[in-house]
Amino acid sequence: MSALTLWLNAPQRRRALLTVGSFLLPILVWCLVSYLPFVWHPQVLIDEPGGVDYFQTGMRVDRSDFADQLADMAQQGLPLPSGSPANPIYLPAPHEVAKAFYSGFTSPPEQKNAPWLHESLWHSIQIIFWGFVISSIVGVPLGILAGSYASLGRLSEPFIEFFRYLPAPAFGALAVAVLGIYDGPKIAIIVIGTFFQQVLIIANTTRKLEATLIEAARTLGSRGWRLIARVVVPGILPNLYQDQRILLGWAWTYLIVAELIGTSSGITWYITQQARYQHFDNVYAAIIIIGIIGFGSDLLLARLGRKLFPWNTGREKG
Amino acid sequence: MNAPQNNSQPSYLEQSPEVRERFQRIYDRETILEVRQLSKRYQTPQGETEALRGIDFKVHRREFVCVIGPSGCGKSTLIRILAGLDKHSDGDVLLDGKPVNGPGRDRGMVFQGYSLFPWLTVKENVMFGPEMSGHTRNTADNQARQWLDLVGLSKFADSYPHQLSGGMRQRVAIARALVNEPRILLMDEPFGALDAQTRAKMQHHLLDIWKNLDITILFITHDLDEAVYLADRILVLKPHPGEVQEIIEVPVPRPRTPAQFDSPVFRATKARIEALIHPPVESGEDEENNPEAGPMIRFTNVTDNVE
Ligand SMILES: Nc1ncnc2c1ncn2[C@@H]1O[C@H](COP(=O)(O)OP(=O)(O)O)[C@@H](O)[C@H]1O
Ligand SMILES: [Mg+2]
């Protein structure tokens, strides 16, 4: 076997390659659709209007319309229009999005006083952060208590279970009425979307803690609050951390809806604004940035988790 | 193998003068634990199950008592009630004459499964008890070191439980229970999950600890050799409901060594328990019990050859 195949076959390398591949594949499809005219390209981007009255340079028309007009002009002996096959405006090519990605951070916004892309993003991140923190401040302790004390669990969980099914965005109007039109209702939507799941998931994680650990602690003289602080919390911490990671991911999915409530703000404002001016390259760039931030922070948190709970990795292995 | 022994073999009831004198000394000591007419009923969807009925016994200071019986006979139920982890339905449990009410530091417990806190180092696990009783970290640290020394694990003070072997983990669990200086150490099949060789070493080690400390031990097992090797007296339970069949005074002299496994008194005692646990007639129950008895006997032969 050659050194190269050996290198490629090492299990870790293979995994890394597959991971890269899982990102490259969709990008490849996007490139094929964008750069190979025969794949799709249902429209024609006009270079020269020729004799057609309503054609303008830079305009996109359907391929069949263009063919009709071309035949028409040829018949009438007028100058022929010319153009190149193109995709619809809402599907920009990868290099256009890449350029928008770069210029989004480097060139000032078109309107005066409008926030830069990174300012919009920062605003969104703050909304998520505060929504998640507020939810966690109440949700994590409540979940742990509901999981530790059966009666508290039975008292709180049925209602929470019911509330969980109410869609958070449905509370938008109410949130605006109570909290005004700025950041308050947006944070509230993130909280509503996160909190109820959080209590149930964490209560469940708490209940899954090895009963022998609790019993051992009790025979060693541990009771009440100290039992929770010294045994339950550290015992579930690695799993609690995983839960929080998953919940943070869900909080992200509420972001766009939350930001549409009241005065639109943050990255959502940026996206709607850019879509209005048909700057779809900017729209895609912004969407991809959301993905990168969400996915990237999750990767970071996973890394950190392995560092934080060294005893847990050993346990998983055997 | 299950034949009743009424021939010329020594009876398990015959005691040498030293052994008899030893038992006299034990009974002269104060009673640490007294169990009176203890019963436990569980409410299940299928109705009420009676796990324990009319259990009566006393454990004296520095005595080593084993409880043996087939699985499901209520051994764990009994020890959990003694530890205060479960409530009994009827009767009394008295520790130093006072009724037991919930878990307490006066009763240490070692579980079969690994009950060490995985997020704490070995030393921190042992420090847990002293810290819970309000000792400063410094005192707890000193005590933990001392007890880890006793179980021979000083070198592993800063390891995490998952880095230790099964036998070492149970030694830590013993140290963690003993650091609280309980009146009685309750052990629920503590060596049940260990391989034969480790198990033999742990039995020896436990006897060593017991000899050198003022500690009373109630030890649950379903291994006959283990019970006879360790115990002063053996409480034999029968299942459905769990009742005391007999309390056997083990006539094997101390100090115990693995060489005694082959001695006539050892075998006679074992044969008696065997007969109690697996009665020769009842065919229906035998089906259930035999597969368990088979490998257990081979098990001990292996141990014999090793030591
Ligand atoms: N929590 C419980 N609920 C109902 N029945 C139980 C419970 N715990 C134990 N039992 C029953 O009590 C009997 C004794 O169980 P256990 O004490 O665990 O036996 P052993 O430890 O001797 O194997 C068994 O028949 C078991 O099914
Ligand atoms: Mg048991």
Side-chain angles (χ1 to χ4, degrees), chain B residues 72 75-77 112 188-189 220:
Chain B
K75 304 184 294 292
S76 293
T77 306
Q112 169 171 13
D188 189 357
E189 305 201 28
I220 289 194

Side-chain angles (χ1 to χ4, degrees), chain B residues 23-51:
Chain B
F23 274 111
Q24 204 45 58
R25 279 206 312 273
I26 289 174
Y27 298 145
D28 286 344
R29 293 195 205 120
E30 68 205 274
T31 305
I32 297 278
L33 178 76
E34 183 172 2
V35 174
R36 285 200 301 233
Q37 285 302 307
L38 181 82
S39 351
K40 172 71 179 177
R41 291 177 295 273
Y42 283 111
Q43 308 297 337
T44 62
Q46 291 80 28
E48 210 179 57
T49 45
E50 196 171 15

